[in-house]
């Protein structure tokens, strides 16, 4: 057993870290304030290759697989809260095409998505279909060589900036999740596509979620993603991948909070000595570090498994569950160690506390992860 | 055109250097390595030359242990076409003279139009290798270059140097050696795609034998200087506290920062 990260992936990670330190750290406060990522920055991220990390070179990707993707998201997680922009684009949006699309569709869409010339979104959630994703109300009806889609999606990350949106719609109500849901590759220019309200969120400033509205939206039949009726399977496969990437970001963010907490604990003097001298503080640091270590190894292992082509639905759910719980605990302890300053807007701890909370909700709530793991356990008997 | 870029793998400038008592080299444990920053300027200039002139073949060359391939991989990721690692256990204890001699041997016969190097490596700060390589190859050298223009048709280059209080512009017939000074350019980071592509590019390793160097020309034996002692100076920190009204202490503080701390 060899846990060494391959040299090329290490180099990608180092380069990502240098880049984020250089170009993103100086603007994170501005992004927080203005709730907007500068378009030049997005362009630069794209040129560096950050929008096509896991995909093979033949589709214009960097070809570093899920493990490399996780390493980069880990670095991004340490620098800024908008890893989910890349996560929604790459991890579930473009990933749906990569996992579910025909060769023709991959060749048509992935190169522009990898190059960041186009941004992707993943449109599954609806007002009545959150955890119960099979309860979609959006319908698609065939009409000649087109499908007519009606309905709406909510809280779709990148919804307001996406050029290509994977829309999951019901094509056979009776079949439901078992063959009744089809995924469509929707371009924002298709007639009948509209972006609705853009949400005000608790955190993740700079990244936006939006409502998408489809009114008799016309989608060419060739834009059925992969097989007709296979939408639900594609969505679940993409989410497996997305969950591992999410864990990578959670680990990176937590690591940063640990480092900030160690530094603060050694610097802040109360009762005539640094607060780090108190075992109460030390033990919090210990818990943080230990859980980060566990989450990191779980993440790398799941990513590696995925790169080996092994099925890892169970691991992906476990990693997402554990890493997000870990990140929230770490954020909470970081605030505690920082005391009042940890609650103040001027310091990045407060922000991290808010930004971390979403990890337990999206890409399947943690309760849903437990449901997935339980199902796998009962099926396998171990 | 052919351009060779000399790069050295050095401890990260942010590393806290440690020396074991009695040792004549730094303790390498836990040290992360980078390309010496002045060499990054040299590498970037080669890339810019290619962008301006089109057909430019870039070869990155490093002397060092196997680990120095990391520096070469970075150059390949940035866009170098190939790379040469000059490496042999016999180089242990080499000084800048031996290093330059070996690098010159590796470059000889390569028909490079330009050889670019950093003005000095940030680990030993010898500021010697670029010039000595030129000497061994019997080529002109222009040091501390802050601007470089190549006229391919004429086979010449014009380089600018910022000196203390004035600037100098020098024209030279190629081939020639140039050493890069801060201000020459802004080095880029490799695109992630480049890193993966670099995996497929070749790094040739040349040992002493391949370079045709005799044992007495290598390592400590061939060196012209000898390190007698190496230590981390003990920091006797002198804290100074200024007391008095801010209006009086502020100018005093500025004066001390400028003259004693030399940070202004
Ligand atoms: C910032 C943000 C970005 C998002 N981005 C996207 C996106 O890009 N694309 C997309 O499609 N969606 C996106 N979503 C939607 C997200 O995936 C859903 O919010 C999530 O799946 C939960 O659905 P819900 O909010 O409807 O909660 P509900 O399903 O209503 O859940 C409410 C609570 O009930 C629990 N619960 C529900 N069912 C069960 C059960 N069977 N057993 C036990 N507990 C249960 C849940 O765990 C939760 O605690 C995003 C959401 C947010 C907030």
């Amino acid at each position: 057993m060899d846990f060494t990260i391959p040299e090329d992936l290490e180099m990608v990670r180092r380069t990502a870290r240098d880049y984020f330190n250089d170009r993103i750290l100086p603007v994170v406060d501005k992004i927080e304030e203005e709730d907007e990522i500068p378009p030049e920055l997005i362009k630069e991220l794209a040129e560096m290759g950050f929008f096509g990390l896991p995909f093979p070179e033949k589709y214009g990707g960097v070809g570093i697989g899920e493990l490399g993707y996780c390493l980069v998201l880990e670095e991004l997680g340490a620098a800024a809260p908008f890893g989910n922009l890349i996560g929604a684009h790459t991890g579930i949006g473009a990933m749906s095409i990569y996992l579910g699309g025909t060769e023709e569709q991959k060749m048509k869409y992935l190169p522009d998505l990898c190059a960041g010339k186009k941004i992707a979104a993943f449109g599954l959630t609806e007002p009545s279909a959150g955890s119960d994703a099979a309860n979609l109300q959006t319908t698609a009806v065939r009409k000649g060589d087109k499908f007519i889609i009606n309905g709406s999606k909510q809280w779709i990350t990148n919804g307001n900036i996406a050029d290509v949106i994977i829309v999951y719609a019901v094509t056979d109500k009776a079949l439901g999740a078992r063959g009744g849901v089809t995924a469509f590759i929707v371009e924002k220019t298709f007639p009948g596509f509209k972006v609705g309200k853009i949400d005000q969120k608790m955190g993740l400033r700079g990244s936006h979620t939006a409502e998408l509205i489809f009114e008799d939206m016309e989608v060419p039949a060739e834009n059925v993603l992969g097989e007709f009726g296979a939408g639900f399977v594609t969505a679940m496969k993409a989410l497996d991948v997305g969950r591992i990437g999410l864990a990578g970001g959670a680990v990176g963010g937590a690591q940063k909070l640990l480092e900030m907490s160690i530094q603060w604990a050694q610097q802040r003097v109360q009762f005539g000595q640094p607060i780090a001298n108190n075992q109460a503080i030390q033990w919090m640091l210990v818990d943080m570090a230990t859980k980060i270590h566990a989450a990191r190894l779980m993440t790398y292992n799941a990513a590696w498994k995925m790169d080996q082509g092994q099925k890892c639905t169970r691991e992906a759910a476990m990693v997402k569950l554990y890493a997000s719980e870990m990140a929230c605990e770490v954020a909470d302890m970081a605030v505690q160690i920082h005391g009042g300053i940890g609650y103040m807007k001027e310091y990045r701890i407060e922000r991290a506390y808010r930004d971390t909370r979403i990890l337990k909700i999206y890409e399947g709530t943690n309760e849903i992860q437990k449901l997935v793991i339980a199902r796998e356990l009962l099926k396998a008997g171990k | 055109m052919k351009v060779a870029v000399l790069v050295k793998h050095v401890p990260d400038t942010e590393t806290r250097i440690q020396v074991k008592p009695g040792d004549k080299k730094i303790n390498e444990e836990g040290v992360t390595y980078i390309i010496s920053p002045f060499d990054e300027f040299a590498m970037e200039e080669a890339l810019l030359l290619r962008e301006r002139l089109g057909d430019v073949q870039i070869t990155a060359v490093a002397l060092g242990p196997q680990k120095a391939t990391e520096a070469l991989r970075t150059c390949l990721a940035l866009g170098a076409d190939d790379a040469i690692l000059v490496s042999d256990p016999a180089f242990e204890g080499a000084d800048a003279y031996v290093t330059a001699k070996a690098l010159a041997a590796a470059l000889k016969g390569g028909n490079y139009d330009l050889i670019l190097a950093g003005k000095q490596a940030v680990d030993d700060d010898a500021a010697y290798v670029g010039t000595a390589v030129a000497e061994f190859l019997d080529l002109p050298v222009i040091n501390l270059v802050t601007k470089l223009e190549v006229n391919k048709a004429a086979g010449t280059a014009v380089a600018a140097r910022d000196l203390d209080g004035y600037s100098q512009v020098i024209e030279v017939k190629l081939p020639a050696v140039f050493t890069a000074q801060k201000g020459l350019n802004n080095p880029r980071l490799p695109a992630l795609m480049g890193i993966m592509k670099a995996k497929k590019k070749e790094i040739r390793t040349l040992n002493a034998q391949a370079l045709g160097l005799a044992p007495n020309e290598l390592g400590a034996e061939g060196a012209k200087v000898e390190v007698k002692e190496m230590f981390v100076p003990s920091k006797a920190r002198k804290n100074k506290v200024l007391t008095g009204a801010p209006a009086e202490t502020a100018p005093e503080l500025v004066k001390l920062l400028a003259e004693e701390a030399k940070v202004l």
Side-chain angles (χ1 to χ4, degrees):
Chain A
M1 192 183 285
D2 182 358
F3 286 99
T4 322
I5 305 276
E7 192 193 315
D8 47 351
L9 296 192
E10 232 1 297
M11 198 161 143
V12 166
R13 181 224 281 272
R14 263 200 316 273
T15 306
R17 181 187 306 156
D18 289 348
Y19 176 79
F20 296 148
N21 282 340
D22 249 36
R23 309 290 296 161
I24 294 192
L25 277 187
V27 294
V28 286
D29 289 341
K30 191 165 166 268
I31 292 172
E32 181 70 16
E33 210 175 291
E34 296 174 1
D35 198 11
E36 201 63 62
I37 304 169
E40 321 82 77
L41 185 60
I42 297 200
K43 193 161 161 265
E44 236 184 62
L45 282 164
E47 279 164 7
M48 286 285 293
F50 287 109
F51 285 75
L53 297 165
F55 306 115
E57 280 173 40
K58 86 168 190 196
Y59 301 122
V62 178
I64 54 175
E66 186 67 7
L67 180 56
Y69 175 63
C70 280
L71 294 175
V72 173
L73 283 198
E74 189 179 336
E75 295 303 329
L76 183 56
F82 52 82
N84 68 318
L85 189 157
I86 290 181
H89 168 87
T90 312
I92 47 179
M95 190 57 78
S96 295
I97 299 180
Y98 178 61
L99 294 174
T102 62
E103 188 59 27
E104 231 178 337
Q105 289 169 335
K106 292 187 219 182
M107 290 312 278
K108 178 169 177 197
Y109 286 100
L110 288 178
D112 277 356
L113 292 173
C114 287
K117 286 186 193 143
K118 292 198 169 137
I119 298 290
F122 175 87
L124 181 64
T125 304
E126 297 179 5
S128 61
S131 298
D132 187 6
N135 190 36
L136 297 174
Q137 303 299 311
T138 296
T139 57
V141 180
R142 186 156 191 144
K143 194 176 149 196
D145 57 357
K146 288 198 178 81
F147 278 86
I148 306 299
I149 300 187
N150 277 291
S152 72
K153 298 283 170 185
Q154 75 174 0
W155 306 334
I156 305 307
T157 303
N158 296 347
N160 58 325
I161 55 168
D163 305 281
V164 177
I165 305 98
I166 309 303
V167 172
Y168 293 88
V170 177
T171 40
D172 188 336
K173 189 138 185 82
L175 289 177
R178 292 195 162 78
V181 175
T182 299
F184 295 87
I185 308 175
V186 170
E187 296 180 28
K188 69 171 178 190
T189 49
F190 287 175
F193 174 86
K194 216 169 79 187
V195 176
K197 138 171 155 309
I198 296 174
D199 307 292
Q200 292 294 322
K201 307 185 300 324
M202 178 183 194
L204 299 183
R205 295 193 38 103
S207 153
H208 299 285
T209 60
E211 176 190 20
L212 303 178
I213 302 164
F214 320 125
E215 285 168 355
D216 290 328
M217 177 170 70
E218 295 178 15
V219 179
E222 73 220 35
N223 276 35
V224 165
L225 178 64
E227 256 175 72
F228 183 80
F232 205 73
V233 177
T234 301
M236 293 307 123
K237 274 197 209 157
L239 284 169
D240 277 354
V241 183
R243 284 165 187 166
I244 302 175
L246 174 149
V251 168
Q255 176 70 32
K256 178 77 183 181
L257 289 173
L258 170 66
E259 288 166 18
M260 290 174 83
S261 300
I262 293 174
Q263 206 177 14
W264 178 256
Q266 288 176 326
Q267 181 187 327
R268 171 69 173 164
V269 173
Q270 285 294 278
F271 299 100
Q273 57 174 342
I275 57 169
N277 287 1
N278 299 295
Q279 201 176 54
I281 299 286
Q282 290 171 9
W283 285 17
M284 274 195 265
L285 295 172
V286 169
D287 284 345
M288 291 162 97
T290 307
K291 287 180 180 181
I292 292 170
H293 182 55
R296 181 180 280 129
L297 290 184
M298 285 173 81
T299 307
Y300 291 177
N301 175 261
W304 171 82
K305 239 180 145 169
M306 180 149 279
D307 287 339
Q308 303 301 309
Q310 299 176 31
K311 185 170 180 329
C312 52
T313 300
R314 177 199 296 211
E315 286 83 352
M318 285 178 166
V319 163
K320 194 277 183 182
L321 169 67
Y322 187 81
S324 60
E325 297 284 346
M326 173 283 288
C328 288
E329 286 172 54
V330 165
D332 189 61
M333 287 189 268
V335 173
Q336 199 61 21
I337 290 172
H338 280 76
I341 192 84
Y343 197 74
M344 297 299 156
K345 285 254 183 220
E346 72 221 52
Y347 217 55
R348 289 183 189 161
I349 302 290
E350 172 269 350
R351 187 184 310 170
Y353 184 78
R354 284 184 287 109
D355 289 339
T356 309
R357 189 59 184 81
I358 185 62
L359 297 172
K360 295 204 270 190
I361 298 171
Y362 65 15
E363 305 225 5
T365 65
N366 281 9
E367 290 71 25
I368 294 305
Q369 306 306 322
K370 288 186 184 175
L371 201 133
V372 171
I373 301 164
R375 200 187 295 138
E376 294 277 320
L377 284 176
L378 295 176
K379 198 165 64 188
K382 56 184 178 183
Chain B
M1 288 198 108
K2 290 184 75 181
V3 176
V5 182
L6 309 183
V7 294
K8 186 173 185 186
H9 206 213
V10 300
D12 192 335
T13 39
E14 281 162 25
T15 302
R16 246 200 20 232
I17 298 292
Q18 289 175 318
V19 181
K20 286 194 194 138
D23 270 8
K24 289 178 188 173
K25 55 177 190 181
I26 66 160
N27 181 2
E28 287 172 8
E29 219 172 287
V31 174
T32 53
Y33 282 76
I34 56 166
I35 296 181
S36 181
F38 293 107
D39 302 346
E40 286 184 332
F41 298 132
M43 182 61 211
E44 175 67 23
E45 198 59 23
L47 296 170
L48 292 173
L49 279 176
R50 177 156 68 198
E51 281 165 20
R52 288 199 292 263
L53 303 175
D55 181 27
V56 171
Q57 165 98 11
I58 302 171
T59 303
V61 187
L63 183 145
Q66 201 55 37
K67 198 173 157 49
T69 47
E70 284 171 23
L72 294 174
R73 281 268 168 245
T74 305
C75 292
L76 292 172
L78 282 163
D81 298 285
D82 57 4
I84 301 173
L85 177 71
V86 179
S87 193
D88 198 308
F91 285 127
E92 183 69 32
D95 65 353
Y97 175 83
V98 173
T99 300
K101 196 172 199 177
L103 285 172
L107 293 166
K108 208 176 171 81
N111 294 320
Y112 299 106
D113 300 284
L114 292 93
I115 296 170
L116 305 175
K119 68 160 177 148
Q120 69 197 78
V122 298
D123 55 350
D124 59 22
D125 281 328
Y128 181 99
V129 169
T131 308
V133 163
E135 187 61 26
F136 281 121
L137 294 175
D138 200 18
L139 293 177
V141 59
I142 303 181
N143 281 316
L144 302 166
V145 169
T146 50
K147 196 166 174 222
L148 183 62
E149 264 162 32
V150 170
N151 185 337
K152 209 163 137 183
T156 56
V158 175
R161 314 166 66 225
D162 284 339
L163 303 168
D164 207 2
Y166 63 100
S167 295
Q168 204 179 42
V169 177
I170 296 177
E171 182 167 30
V172 66
K173 223 174 141 45
L174 298 175
V177 178
F178 304 85
T179 69
Q181 165 70 306
K182 192 175 171 185
L184 178 61
N185 51 44
N186 273 320
R188 71 193 78 184
L189 285 169
L192 303 180
M193 197 89 88
I195 296 176
M196 300 312 283
K197 289 207 173 113
K199 260 202 323 197
K200 294 175 204 132
K201 294 184 190 169
E202 190 198 4
I203 297 182
R204 262 181 306 148
T205 301
L206 297 179
N207 61 14
Q209 199 192 353
L211 296 171
L213 294 172
N216 64 354
E217 292 180 284
L218 305 171
E221 209 185 327
K224 299 281 183 197
V225 299
E226 187 192 342
V227 177
K228 283 289 188 196
E229 202 184 345
M230 189 120 120
F231 56 92
V232 179
S234 61
K235 268 198 225 123
R237 204 160 96 186
K238 276 191 288 174
N239 292 333
K240 218 171 232 178
V241 179
L242 302 177
T243 51
E248 289 158 22
T249 49
E252 176 67 12
L253 177 63
V254 172
K255 196 172 147 228
L256 287 172
L257 287 174
E259 291 171 9
E260 276 194 22
K262 296 195 189 321
V263 293
L264 293 183

